[in-house]
Amino acid sequence: MYVKGVGPARAKMLEAKGLSVVEDLLYYPPFRYEDRSNVKTIAQLAPGEMATVIAEVRSARLSGLRRKNLGLFEAGFSDASRATLLGKWFHGGYLTSVIEPGQRVALYGKVELDSYTGELSMLHPEFEILSAEDGEGDAALHTGRIVPVHEAAGKVTARVFRGLLHRVLEALEPVPDPLPGDIVRRMKFPDLWSAIRHLHFPPPEADLRLLNAFRSPAQTRLIFEEFFWLQCGLSLKRQRARGAAGIAFELNGRVRERIKQMLPFKPTAAQKRVLAEIARDMASPHPMNRLLQGDVGSGKTLVAAEAAVIALENHCQVAVLAPTEILAAQHYLYLRKLFEKLGYVTVLLTGSMTAREKAQFKKLLAEGLVHVAVGTHALLEEDVGFKRLGLAVVDEQHRFGVMQRLRFIRKGVQPDVLVMTATPIPRTLALTLYGDLDTSVIDELPPGRKPIITRHVTEDRIEQVYSFLQREVQAGRQAYVVYPVIEESETQAMKAAQQMHRHLSETVFPGFRVGLLHGRLPADEKEKVMESFKQGETQILVSTTVIEVGVDVPNATVMVIEQAERFGLAQMHQLRGRVGRGAAQSYCVLVTGKLNEAGRERIRTLVESNDGFHIAEMDLKLRGPGEFFGTRQSGLPAMRIANILRDQEILELARREAAAFLAHPPSEEALRQATDYLRGHWQRRYGLVTVG
Ligand code: ADP
Ligand code: MG
């Protein structure tokens, strides 16, 4: 559809925000609302109140510091009441080209009175220039009502959005309501079209507080609906997967004997329980789709190895997918040793291997001469084929997008899939992310583990950390010193790590062997560094966060995290899990600069708790779901109006309703309509594939 006022330039800016079709625009919610229904004249303003006025700019000037951006920007306003109001903006240098005499402006802010001069002012008021020449002009849209404020997209301002949406809503036919009528009636929801209209242009009687809390009837309905379809989709997907034909692995006494033969230690009760759940899935004639959760160090890899033996003994191949080269190498070393005992061949396949090596492994894999392939996303490449893939293990799933997971699965004829994650996932997120998976939890650590002691130290006392490191290393232990990767820039972290490596190896600990590990090292180099640390030749390993997951060196007892204020809590908990894997007491030292109260609280969470679930909940609260999973590769379905954190109770409600609806649809027709709707919208909305 052609929308007046959207030329190529604006279309581009909108697209950068993910708004490419009209439907996207309809579901682009205002992030707040402003009450301009009660616009006052300046003369009517009372000191202390929050108010909106519409006035003309009379004067504008920048004063104060020479550095322009630090100056104080002041603009004088007046209106028909002839009274005057001063707007003040510190660091307002950028406003000189924005607010100019002659413009009509809506100002919203707290009214202040200078008791000395008697002058009325607003400090940093919200403002909107009303006299734009670009034809967004309909003043009735922007004042005299509760107005929506959409987050700007480039030069597409809140005001432009208002104009666009108004025109679009005028031009469109009402869209039919896909939500089952029974639910709409029972919940007393407005129909879809009213909800969309009221989302952007609340009716006169709307309650501003509810709007800004995202709980107006229109918002509630739209949030519910988004969760409802997501949950329906996940359920149907799960049903379908469960009904599909998969491999029914045979699990007899001989297979059990082989598993025992492989095991280096006695599994914990939790590991046994979880293996039983997995084995049951594998024996069934339908594909397994199971999520294995467990805190770091709980022994997930061992359980995965047991599951692998079931597949291998049934003449199938196994693929193990890891998010980083280090972790892939680590799994490879660990698993190769276990499977060697049984006569199975394991290979490592990563992106940084030479083309020749890769080609050779791929050939062996396709011919079935290699039994287990461990690797990074190199394993997902089109030309990687298996002779008979029976089990796919995906480690640290949240780092892989959903699509990647699917691509992997397609490599076998419905292989069983075991997804492992060491990041404890808060329940609400788990429901959303993994609603299509069955879940197993290892809730017990292997015996003999002592809780790790965690300390917070500020940079100015780093010497204490060094002498502590010295004592531990002299006692025969090993240590990690880790640097954060900031904003996905491995380069910066690598430089910091290189510097620290030089400092520690040359100045602080010239007598110790200090190793260096970062993401830019070639794969074989990484493997060498890891192997040397594993063998105890390297005593201190300086590293970027590449070691975050899965590295397993029981003799390492100290984890020093530099610039700990820059890490997420869940991530630090992961890092901490690299120590405390043997019988000796282990320590985690969090080094930070000076912190404010919020920063101290974050660090305190970690110092006081060893419980991954508690820490994950805190992390999620403090940073939001996007950050929590790392935005880009999160695999988190993109929500348009709903917010998983803010709207947890609506999510629960929608989940119950979706389950009830699918279990007892009011009619065949209603169910068919719903699945049709999902099929039409699912792919684009959530980036997932076929349902129903
Ligand atoms: P996770 O992957 O859950 O973080 P791992 O599988 O890497 O944990 O196991 C952590 C460490 O505990 C490894 O050194 C592993 O060999 C060891 N381990 C696993 N299970 C047991 C067990 N039942 N008894 C003793 N040690 C175990
Ligand atoms: Mg692991």
Side-chain angles (χ1 to χ4, degrees):
M1 163 180 168
Y2 168 77
V3 181
K4 184 167 163 276
V6 182
R10 273 185 181 169
K12 214 177 209 158
M13 291 172 203
L14 290 171
E15 244 181 85
K17 264 243 188 276
L19 307 172
S20 38
V21 299
V22 170
E23 191 195 324
D24 297 332
L25 201 60
L26 293 182
Y27 284 95
Y28 184 61
F31 75 102
R32 68 184 176 83
Y33 297 82
E34 215 172 278
D35 189 356
R36 292 189 194 156
S37 57
N38 195 7
V39 181
K40 295 193 166 176
T41 62
I42 296 176
Q44 289 169 328
L45 293 178
E49 72 174 340
M50 298 295 293
T52 304
V53 295
I54 292 174
E56 189 168 315
V57 183
R58 295 291 171 204
S59 63
R61 74 188 184 107
L62 185 65
S63 63
L65 297 159
R66 244 167 298 141
R67 298 240 313 272
K68 250 194 160 183
N69 276 331
L70 299 180
L72 170 67
F73 183 79
E74 290 179 296
F77 299 90
S78 74
D79 63 8
S81 72
R82 309 202 127 210
T84 59
L85 173 76
L86 196 61
K88 299 184 191 178
W89 289 266
F90 289 105
H91 303 284
Y94 67 99
L95 289 173
T96 47
S97 56
V98 178
I99 297 182
E100 290 165 351
Q103 291 169 333
R104 246 162 54 81
V105 176
L107 295 165
Y108 173 76
K110 187 171 178 192
V111 181
E112 298 183 26
L113 176 70
D114 186 324
S115 55
Y116 185 65
T117 61
E119 193 171 57
L120 285 174
S121 66
M122 285 184 181
L123 186 61
H124 290 249
E126 301 284 343
F127 69 91
E128 192 173 299
I129 293 154
L130 298 181
S131 48
E133 324 80 53
D134 56 6
E136 319 290 352
D138 189 357
L141 273 186
H142 310 291
T143 58
R145 64 194 303 164
I146 291 179
V147 295
V149 184
H150 294 84
E151 200 175 298
K155 284 187 181 148
V156 183
T157 62
R159 181 181 165 75
V160 177
F161 268 116
R162 233 172 272 143
L164 284 179
L165 277 158
H166 183 71
R167 283 198 297 277
V168 167
L169 288 170
E170 290 282 287
L172 282 181
E173 293 290 316
V175 289
D177 192 342
L179 258 193
D182 161 59
I183 292 179
V184 175
R185 280 187 295 278
R186 196 153 31 79
M187 301 280 172
K188 302 197 168 58
F189 283 146
D191 66 87
L192 177 61
W193 188 240
S194 318
I196 289 177
R197 277 189 6 252
H198 290 171
L199 174 73
H200 299 290
F201 298 103
E205 71 280 6
D207 179 332
L208 185 73
R209 261 186 319 192
L210 282 183
L211 280 168
N212 278 323
F214 278 79
R215 285 298 178 273
S216 73
Q219 291 161 317
T220 306
R221 182 217 136 102
L222 294 168
I223 291 166
F224 174 92
E225 186 180 349
E226 194 163 36
F227 283 141
F228 179 83
W229 293 124
L230 175 65
Q231 293 298 330
C232 280
L234 289 171
S235 274
L236 288 171
K237 202 164 153 250
R238 179 154 136 175
Q239 267 176 28
R240 203 173 88 122
R242 283 196 177 142
I247 308 165
F249 292 101
E250 201 184 323
L251 186 54
N252 52 28
R254 197 182 60 88
V255 177
R256 284 179 221 282
E257 206 37 59
R258 295 282 275 173
I259 292 178
K260 265 204 205 122
Q261 196 184 336
M262 172 205 71
L263 284 175
F265 8 65
K266 228 170 98 232
T268 61
Q271 283 172 321
K272 278 192 197 148
R273 174 174 42 78
V274 165
L275 179 66
E277 290 164 3
I278 293 170
R280 206 183 318 122
D281 284 0
M282 290 183 75
S284 99
H286 305 294
M288 167 167 78
N289 272 297
R290 188 167 284 277
L291 174 69
L292 176 54
Q293 279 203 67
D295 212 338
V296 293
S298 60
K300 294 182 293 295
T301 316
L302 199 66
V303 173
E306 291 177 303
V309 174
I310 298 178
L312 292 169
E313 290 296 316
N314 280 271
H315 312 290
C316 283
Q317 290 165 297
V318 175
V320 179
L321 187 61
T324 65
E325 296 213 343
I326 299 281
L327 184 55
Q330 180 73 27
H331 276 325
Y332 166 69
L333 294 173
Y334 187 88
L335 294 174
R336 187 185 59 184
K337 214 162 75 198
L338 295 178
F339 298 144
E340 234 166 32
K341 283 193 255 176
L342 306 181
Y344 289 112
V345 180
T346 307
V347 295
L348 176 67
L349 195 74
T350 65
S352 59
M353 290 167 66
T354 65
R356 240 189 79 218
E357 279 175 314
K358 274 197 252 183
Q360 194 189 353
F361 283 159
K362 282 175 195 166
K363 189 157 164 282
L364 292 172
L365 210 53
E367 286 168 355
L369 296 173
V370 156
H371 307 102
V372 182
V374 183
T376 55
H377 10 283
L379 269 186
L380 296 172
E381 282 164 23
E382 288 298 328
D383 62 341
V384 178
F386 292 80
K387 179 141 188 266
R388 188 158 188 244
L389 179 61
L391 174 70
V393 177
V394 182
D395 197 5
E396 305 300 337
Q397 147 71 15
H398 65 265
R399 297 185 164 215
F400 288 104
V402 176
M403 293 315 281
Q404 278 175 314
R405 192 167 98 205
L406 290 168
R407 227 160 90 198
F408 195 49
I409 292 167
R410 268 187 254 119
K411 292 217 174 277
V413 188
Q414 297 291 354
D416 282 354
V417 177
L418 181 65
V419 173
M420 303 198 288
T421 178
T423 305
I425 300 161
R427 194 181 124 74
T428 39
L429 274 184
L431 287 178
T432 309
L433 262 176
Y434 301 123
D436 58 334
L437 302 181
D438 300 304
T439 315
S440 292
V441 181
I442 305 184
D443 49 7
E444 176 189 358
L445 293 181
R449 298 279 176 81
K450 293 199 186 82
I452 300 160
I453 297 172
T454 302
R455 291 270 182 271
H456 175 208
V457 175
T458 46
E459 275 154 7
D460 48 335
R461 308 174 75 173
I462 193 74
E463 293 300 327
Q464 291 182 358
V465 179
Y466 292 158
S467 35
F468 176 68
L469 273 179
Q470 172 141 22
R471 281 199 304 278
E472 283 289 304
V473 173
Q474 272 166 353
R477 315 257 176 258
Q478 290 164 276
Y480 300 96
V481 180
V482 180
Y483 281 83
V485 172
I486 303 148
E487 287 163 6
E488 317 262 313
S489 155
E490 165 80 20
T491 317
Q492 233 179 332
M494 176 189 76
K495 281 190 189 141
Q498 280 168 336
Q499 247 172 35
M500 183 47 87
H501 175 252
R502 212 171 308 123
H503 180 63
L504 289 181
S505 58
E506 289 168 12
T507 317
V508 188
F509 303 121
F512 295 158
R513 288 175 304 275
V514 184
L516 173 66
L517 186 66
H518 57 75
R520 294 284 165 80
L521 290 176
D524 56 336
E525 186 69 16
K526 277 183 204 159
E527 222 180 288
K528 238 189 269 160
V529 174
M530 277 315 304
E531 192 55 32
S532 154
F533 190 66
K534 252 188 122 134
Q535 299 306 331
E537 288 151 19
T538 303
Q539 293 155 305
I540 298 176
L541 184 62
V542 177
S543 164
T544 59
T545 29
V546 288
I547 64 156
E548 182 185 341
V549 280
V551 174
D552 186 24
V553 179
N555 190 47
T557 57
V558 188
M559 167 64 64
V560 178
I561 303 180
E562 294 272 352
Q563 301 175 26
E565 63 269 44
R566 302 194 154 183
F567 285 93
L569 291 182
Q571 199 185 10
M572 283 197 273
H573 180 64
Q574 289 290 309
L575 284 169
R576 179 166 64 181
R578 299 308 111 208
V579 297
R581 294 183 158 235
Q585 177 63 55
S586 286
Y587 305 88
C588 175
V589 185
L590 307 173
V591 183
T592 70
K594 287 248 176 316
L595 297 177
N596 60 17
E597 184 45 42
R600 276 198 299 273
E601 181 181 342
R602 271 167 47 80
I603 298 289
R604 209 178 305 130
T605 305
L606 223 56
V607 170
E608 287 171 1
S609 174
N610 260 310
D611 175 353
F613 276 91
H614 171 69
I615 291 165
E617 293 277 2
M618 289 299 286
D619 200 24
L620 189 59
K621 270 201 193 108
L622 292 167
R623 300 198 303 164
E627 282 289 306
F628 181 80
F629 285 104
T631 25
R632 231 171 309 157
Q633 292 188 321
S634 68
L636 203 66
M639 293 296 181
R640 297 203 281 207
I641 296 178
N643 172 316
I644 292 165
L645 278 190
R646 185 192 61 205
D647 305 326
Q648 293 194 12
E649 86 285 0
I650 303 181
L651 170 58
E652 290 287 345
L653 179 69
R655 205 172 74 89
R656 279 199 305 276
E657 288 293 334
F661 175 75
L662 292 179
H664 309 286
S667 66
E668 277 302 309
E669 175 62 12
L671 181 63
R672 202 184 47 75
Q673 277 177 4
T675 42
D676 282 353
Y677 176 75
L678 266 173
R679 210 175 279 122
H681 287 67
W682 186 250
Q683 170 101 29
R684 211 174 87 79
R685 287 292 306 275
Y686 305 113
L688 297 180
V689 286
T690 53
V691 288

